[in-house]
């Protein structure tokens, strides 16, 4: 458990060389759920995302489109901002690596590493993938039939680079990194990924080329503007730029660093779990608490690519299936950390069974009964039976504590599984208590059962807010929970719905997914 009430979480900053799709949406949604959860749980949260705009690949792509790199970056960066709006992302700040304060921060970090004696000038010769903006060693590449070389891990083409370059003494950090990993078993999650990092570092680290002098689209190296910084040293610094680095005593760095989570895809783990910690050690800056590497999404079993024409844009996702539904699906379907497949059939199945049938039906039938049988008022309740008490307990602080525990480990699917267990129990409770049959025989008991259900629904709506903010708000509006009573401190005992409050005519929150009519054409 984090002991202070500040929480800092970051997505990777997105390459302006790409465009938003479900892969990038996924990282943002996951971070957004964490940020919303923590805010509702009483934390002061900083949630950062943004765009990574320098490097050879961006310069080349801009040129191929007849644009200046900055003009191109402005355009694509805007797409990522739009993605945030479409997906309901509540980032506190959107950083761009072309921002002036970021340039200053990256140069300050460089100067620190230089002063430490960790940077030297030499000549780089080796393999480089422009697509990945990454250097590869001989044993990490293979030759294709046509003679071209590719990086085995990513399948992207590599080219031979020979140029003067500044180097960072990464090799000097091998032991310190291994020692740090040993002392911080939660530094990389999931565990399997941590083992990969450890074995890579144990295998020996080579010094890292950290500047280029054959193009100029980057942050100039202090005192040697013929060189621009390697895009990764520039990009990684974004996490502290936002907090006001190099001002280590300012509110940002003092209160929010080290970050609680850097959330990244598994493809960029090495940069975050090896290079970044080594830079930070060199600069005497504390290391982040956790780097969480999530898995990779395919679409209907295929790798997503422009050429395969299967890239799913966030807007299409939301237009076709709804925002909350998409957010729920991505976090529920696949354990965070595993690879996942985006299948339309699986999404529709979740929409209909988990959302429409399980949660939607619970809310709809309970509120309809209250509306029809209780004069549209939250009923008064009599003494609670053991079953009533068990139901209230399950959906109260117990549910909150479990969810909290799962989210500490970013285990979204477990959290949702447990919440849906409560929903299942609540539906079983409705069936067992059969309140519709009590109207004539025992209206007081009917009132108590419906009260318990309304209270369970209130708690459920509160806890699902981070994942499904719109649906949760609609439910809370219907049971008249005021906006200032929606934090998690209102879950469970001590805070209950008031009897006698008039509710709105119930409106379905999760419609069943019905296949749209085929186009006549
Ligand atoms: N610019 C770097 C990050 C620098 S952070 C200091 C970068 N950008 S990216 O746009 O290529 O990728 C951003 C994130 O999206 C990465 O975490 C990556 O893993 C994730 N995804 C991109 N495609 C993805 C899938 N198909 N599936 C899941 N996540 C994927 O890397």
């Amino acid at each position: 458990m984090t002991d202070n009430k500040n929480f800092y979480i970051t997505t990777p900053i997105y390459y302006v060389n790409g465009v938003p799709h479900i892969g990038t949406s996924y990282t943002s949604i996951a971070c957004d759920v964490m940020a919303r959860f923590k805010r509702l749980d009483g934390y002061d949260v900083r949630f950062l995302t943004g765009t990574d705009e320098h490097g050879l690949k961006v310069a080349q792509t801009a040129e191929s489109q007849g644009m200046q790199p900055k003009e191109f970056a402005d355009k694509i960066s805007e797409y990522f901002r739009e993605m945030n709006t479409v997906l309901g992302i509540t980032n506190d700040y959107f950083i761009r690596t072309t921002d002036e304060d970021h340039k200053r921060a990256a140069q300050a970090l460089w100067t620190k590493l230089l002063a430490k004696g960790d940077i030297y000038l030499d000549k780089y010769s080796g393999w480089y993938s422009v697509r990945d903006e990454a250097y590869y060693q001989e044993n990490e590449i293979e030759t294709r039939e046509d003679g071209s070389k590719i990086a085995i891990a990513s399948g992207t083409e590599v080219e031979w680079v020979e140029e003067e370059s500044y180097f960072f003494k990464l090799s000097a950090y091998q032991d310190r990194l291994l020692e740090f990993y040993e002392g911080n078993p939660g530094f990389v999650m999931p565990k399997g990924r941590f083992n990969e990092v450890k074995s890579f570092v144990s295998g020996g680290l080579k010094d890292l080329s950290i500047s280029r002098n054959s193009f100029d689209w980057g942050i100039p190296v202090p005192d040697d503007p013929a060189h621009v910084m390697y895009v990764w040293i520039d990009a990684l610094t974004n996490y502290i730029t936002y907090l006001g680095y190099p001002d280590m005593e300012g509110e940002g760095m003092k209160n929010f660093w080290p970050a609680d989570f850097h959330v990244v895809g598994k493809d960029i783990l090495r940069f975050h779990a090896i290079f970044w910690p080594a830079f930070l050690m060199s600069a005497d800056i504390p290391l982040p608490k956790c780097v969480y590497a999530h898995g990779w999404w395919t679409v209907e079993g295929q790798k997503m690519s422009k050429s395969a024409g299967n890239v799913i844009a966030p807007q299409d996702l939301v237009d076709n299936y709804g925002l909350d539904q998409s957010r729920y699906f991505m976090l529920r379907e696949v354990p965070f950390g595993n690879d996942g497949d985006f299948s339309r059939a699986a999404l529709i199945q979740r929409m209909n069974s988990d959302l429409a049938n399980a949660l939607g039906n619970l809310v709809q039938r309970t509120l309809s009964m209250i509306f029809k049988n209780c004069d549209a008022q939250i009923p008064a309740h009599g003494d609670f039976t053991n079953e009533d008490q068990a139901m209230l307990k399950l959906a109260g602080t117990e549910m909150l504590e479990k969810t909290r525990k799962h989210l500490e480990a970013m285990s979204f699917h477990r959290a949702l599984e447990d919440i849906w267990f409560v929903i299942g129990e609540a539906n079983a409770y409705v069936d067992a208590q059969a309140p519709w049959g009590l109207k004539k025989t025992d209206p007081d008991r009917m009132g108590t059962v419906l009260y318990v259900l309304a209270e369970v629904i209130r708690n459920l709506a509160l806890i699902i807010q981070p994942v499904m903010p719109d649906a949760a708000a609609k439910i809370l509006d219907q049971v008249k929970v005021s906006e200032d009573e929606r934090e998690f401190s209102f879950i469970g005992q001590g805070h209950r719905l008031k009897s006698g409050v008039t509710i709105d005519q119930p409106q379905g929150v999760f419609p069943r997914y019905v296949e749209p009519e085929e186009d006549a054409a």
Side-chain angles (χ1 to χ4, degrees), residues 11-19 21-28 50-53 80 97 131-132 231-232 234-239 263-269 271-272 276 292 294-299 303-304 330 339-340:
T11 72
I13 44 173
Y14 301 109
Y15 271 138
V16 289
N17 194 53
V19 289
H21 54 63
I22 56 167
T24 44
S25 304
Y26 185 50
T27 323
S28 290
T51 42
D52 186 355
E53 308 187 1
F80 282 99
T97 52
R131 178 67 193 84
D132 300 345
V231 64
W232 271 100
D234 157 356
L236 287 159
T237 312
N238 92 88
Y239 300 132
V263 182
V264 302
K266 61 179 185 179
D267 55 318
I268 55 171
L269 180 57
F271 300 95
H272 285 83
W276 181 226
Y292 200 114
H294 66 66
W296 202 253
W297 282 88
T298 50
V299 174
K303 197 169 175 227
M304 251 186 303
M330 296 191 92
D339 289 338

Side-chain angles (χ1 to χ4, degrees), residues 134-145:
Y135 300 95
Y136 288 103
Q137 296 174 16
E138 204 64 51
N139 62 358
E140 294 177 305
I141 61 160
E142 66 185 15
T143 309
R144 281 192 302 208
E145 273 179 13

Side-chain angles (χ1 to χ4, degrees), residues 377-437:
Q377 286 177 4
I378 304 286
H381 65 81
D383 289 342
F384 293 127
T385 62
N386 287 346
E387 287 84 1
D388 301 343
Q389 267 159 1
M391 195 61 246
L392 288 167
K393 187 159 168 278
L394 191 65
T397 34
E398 210 169 285
M399 181 170 72
L400 174 61
E401 271 156 25
K402 276 194 186 158
T403 312
R404 227 182 235 147
K405 194 177 115 256
H406 291 315
L407 287 204
E408 286 296 328
M410 297 199 92
S411 195
F412 302 105
H413 76 293
R414 285 252 159 74
L416 292 169
E417 251 165 41
D418 280 354
I419 295 170
W420 256 256
F421 173 77
V422 176
I423 294 170
E425 290 296 294
N427 272 320
Y429 171 89
V430 186
D431 295 339
Q433 301 295 330
W436 49 87

Side-chain angles (χ1 to χ4, degrees), residues 4-8 44 46 243 248-258 260 289:
N4 65 23
K5 282 291 211 178
N6 292 336
F7 182 77
Y8 180 36
D44 191 2
R46 295 292 179 275
L243 299 181
M248 292 295 289
E249 294 311 312
E251 293 301 300
M253 286 303 278
K254 238 175 46 198
N255 296 337
F256 291 95
W257 190 260
D260 291 270
K289 292 180 202 159

Side-chain angles (χ1 to χ4, degrees), residues 107 116 142 156 183 191 250 284 325 331 342 381 396 427 433-435 469 475:
Q107 289 178 331
K116 235 338 176 21
E142 66 185 15
T156 57
K191 273 206 162 53
D284 298 317
Q325 288 84 346
L331 296 182
F342 185 91
H381 65 81
N427 272 320
Q433 301 295 330
I475 299 171

Side-chain angles (χ1 to χ4, degrees), residues 70-329:
K70 179 63 167 60
E71 187 191 359
F72 172 75
D74 287 348
K75 181 174 120 188
I76 310 291
S77 180
E78 196 50 38
Y79 293 165
F80 282 99
R81 274 183 201 268
E82 283 162 14
M83 169 179 94
N84 288 346
T85 311
V86 168
L87 297 173
I89 305 298
T90 57
N91 54 300
D92 294 287
Y93 192 67
F94 189 97
I95 195 165
R96 300 183 55 186
T97 52
T98 48
D99 292 341
E100 282 308 315
D101 58 345
H102 175 69
K103 284 186 196 165
R104 277 196 299 276
Q107 289 178 331
L109 184 71
W110 179 288
T111 307
K112 199 81 207 264
L113 309 191
L114 188 70
K116 235 338 176 21
D118 282 336
I119 292 181
Y120 62 93
L121 188 63
D122 202 342
K123 194 171 157 207
Y124 178 78
S125 43
W127 298 104
Y128 190 76
S129 157
V130 179
R131 178 67 193 84
D132 300 345
E133 295 286 14
Y135 300 95
Y136 288 103
Q137 296 174 16
E138 204 64 51
N139 62 358
E140 294 177 305
I141 61 160
E142 66 185 15
T143 309
R144 281 192 302 208
E145 273 179 13
D146 63 3
S148 62
K149 311 262 187 196
I150 56 164
I152 298 166
S154 60
T156 57
E157 273 198 37
V158 292
E159 60 184 42
W160 186 256
V161 171
E162 263 185 40
E163 65 188 50
E164 187 186 72
S165 168
Y166 284 96
F167 281 79
F168 174 74
K169 285 187 190 163
L170 186 63
S171 58
Y173 284 86
Q174 179 175 359
D175 293 343
R176 282 182 66 186
L177 283 169
L178 289 171
E179 204 177 296
F180 175 79
Y181 298 155
E182 205 52 50
N184 294 275
F187 178 62
V188 174
M189 296 220 285
K191 273 206 162 53
R193 297 259 170 245
F194 203 0
N195 292 337
E196 290 167 19
V197 168
K198 286 182 203 162
S199 76
F200 184 83
V201 176
S202 304
L205 293 175
K206 286 204 167 143
D207 289 352
L208 182 70
S209 160
I210 52 165
S211 77
R212 303 291 304 265
N213 74 352
S214 52
F215 63 95
D216 63 3
W217 181 236
I219 299 181
V221 165
D223 301 324
D224 192 353
H227 287 255
V228 291
M229 290 183 196
Y230 171 41
V231 64
W232 271 100
I233 189 169
D234 157 356
L236 287 159
T237 312
N238 92 88
Y239 300 132
I240 51 176
T241 301
Y242 168 51
L243 299 181
Y245 184 81
D247 180 4
M248 292 295 289
E249 294 311 312
E251 293 301 300
M253 286 303 278
K254 238 175 46 198
N255 296 337
F256 291 95
W257 190 260
D260 291 270
F261 286 104
H262 287 321
V263 182
V264 302
K266 61 179 185 179
D267 55 318
I268 55 171
L269 180 57
R270 205 180 279 185
F271 300 95
H272 285 83
I274 303 173
F275 301 172
W276 181 226
F279 298 153
L280 291 169
M281 281 176 177
S282 171
D284 298 317
I285 301 173
L287 271 48
K289 292 180 202 159
C290 178
V291 177
Y292 200 114
H294 66 66
W296 202 253
W297 282 88
T298 50
V299 174
E300 309 288 350
Q302 305 289 316
K303 197 169 175 227
M304 251 186 303
S305 76
K306 276 187 211 152
S307 52
N310 62 352
V311 176
I312 300 183
Q315 187 71 60
D316 292 343
L317 195 63
V318 172
D319 288 348
N320 291 334
Y321 310 104
L323 174 56
D324 285 2
Q325 288 84 346
S326 305
R327 289 170 63 109
Y328 173 79
F329 170 75

